[in-house]
Amino acid sequence: GENVEQHPSTLSVQEGDSAVIKCTYSDSASNYFPWYKQELGKGPQLIIDIRSNVGEKKDQRIAVTLNKTAKHFSLHITETQPEDSAVYFCAASEETSGSRLTFGEGTQLTVNP
Amino acid sequence: NAGVMQNPRHLVRRRGQEARLRCSPMKGHSHVYWYRQLPEEGLKFMVYLQKENIIDESGMPKERFSAEFPKEGPSILRIQQVVRGDSAAYFCASSVRQAAYEQYFGPGTRLTVT
């Protein structure tokens, strides 16, 4: 089955700096890679996703890159703000598995004002 | 537009009791996934259902756990004879169809077994 590893487990940055979170996956058949933001006591919120036919996707201050050959993908947040502080999860799925998501262990991002 | 709804938000059960967790998917969504999140861990897939069908239950423990998604009404995750190790947050996600990929999560039910 699919295995997703995520690094780092904690990340602390100053407001305005960039933050990068990296994930690797094991199943070359995976073709969909979403990122979720989870605030304390809440459910995961989909913030951006990328499919395997695309190498990069951007939405305002957040971007995701995908390297299918190396089987890794990354989340980039620019101009970080205190409200970006949360736990971020990467995930992977592929259609024949019913699209169930396999999650990384999460990254606790803290943006210091 | 109402999002995915889960209730109760918090549930306390004593060892040996039954827990019933309910999930109403987003309007227009007919695919439901249940995930479990242990304290300070990532989410783990449990079961995938469509209306009246269990499509994939490979992540769900064989004993004490069951799930359903009837033609009418919410999806139900049922845990019989709960044990302390069942204490976790249980999240439901829905999608409009299997191939659409995007899954939208509810706020979760936090189960505490005393």
Side-chain angles (χ1 to χ4, degrees), chain B residues 57-78:
Chain B
E57 56 183 349
S58 60
M60 198 155 66
K62 295 279 188 285
E63 297 180 356
R64 302 189 298 108
F65 286 73
S66 62
E68 63 177 10
F69 189 14
K71 186 176 180 180
E72 301 291 337
S75 175
I76 306 286
L77 180 67
R78 183 182 177 203

Side-chain angles (χ1 to χ4, degrees), chain B residues 8-42:
Chain B
R9 294 293 308 276
H10 299 274
L11 182 61
V12 180
R13 284 288 177 265
R14 293 180 179 167
R15 279 178 297 171
Q17 291 185 322
E18 178 181 288
R20 278 185 177 237
L21 288 62
R22 288 177 290 276
C23 168
S24 296
M26 288 178 68
K27 186 176 181 181
H29 287 194
S30 59
H31 297 251
V32 166
Y33 301 79
W34 286 92
Y35 295 84
R36 177 165 66 177
Q37 185 175 36
L38 295 171
E40 298 187 16
E41 290 190 13

Side-chain angles (χ1 to χ4, degrees), chain A residues 36 38 51 98-101, chain B residues 33 35 37 56 98 100 103:
Chain A
Y36 287 87
Q38 187 177 28
R51 290 181 170 80
S99 300
R100 71 172 186 244
L101 297 172
Chain B
Y33 301 79
Y35 295 84
Q37 185 175 36
D56 180 1
Q98 176 180 335
Q103 294 181 24

Side-chain angles (χ1 to χ4, degrees), chain A residues 31-32 36 38-46 49 51 89 93-106, chain B residues 9 33 35 37 40-45 48 55-56 58-59 91 97-108 110:
Chain A
N31 54 7
Y32 174 65
Y36 287 87
Q38 187 177 28
E39 297 174 323
L40 195 62
K42 296 185 178 181
Q45 175 192 0
L46 179 65
D49 57 14
R51 290 181 170 80
F89 291 98
S93 77
E94 56 93 10
E95 189 171 351
T96 58
S97 74
S99 300
R100 71 172 186 244
L101 297 172
T102 301
F103 284 86
E105 291 299 303
Chain B
R9 294 293 308 276
Y33 301 79
Y35 295 84
Q37 185 175 36
E40 298 187 16
E41 290 190 13
L43 292 92
K44 306 294 184 190
F45 167 78
Y48 163 40
I55 306 302
D56 180 1
S58 60
F91 291 96
R97 61 180 184 273
Q98 176 180 335
Y101 300 123
E102 292 93 346
Q103 294 181 24
Y104 298 93
F105 282 79
R110 277 140 187 92

Side-chain angles (χ1 to χ4, degrees), chain A residues 1-5 24-27 30 92 102-105, chain B residues 44:
Chain A
E2 176 66 281
N3 182 52
V4 177
E5 294 190 357
T24 59
Y25 61 99
S26 62
D27 188 350
S30 289
T102 301
F103 284 86
E105 291 299 303
Chain B
K44 306 294 184 190

Side-chain angles (χ1 to χ4, degrees), chain A residues 61-94:
Chain A
R61 295 187 298 109
I62 60 174
V64 58
T65 59
L66 171 65
N67 183 327
K68 282 199 69 181
T69 303
K71 289 192 279 190
H72 68 70
F73 55 112
S74 301
L75 177 71
H76 304 251
I77 306 174
T78 59
E79 300 172 18
T80 54
Q81 302 166 1
E83 51 265 39
D84 294 330
S85 296
V87 179
Y88 290 80
F89 291 98
C90 63
S93 77
E94 56 93 10

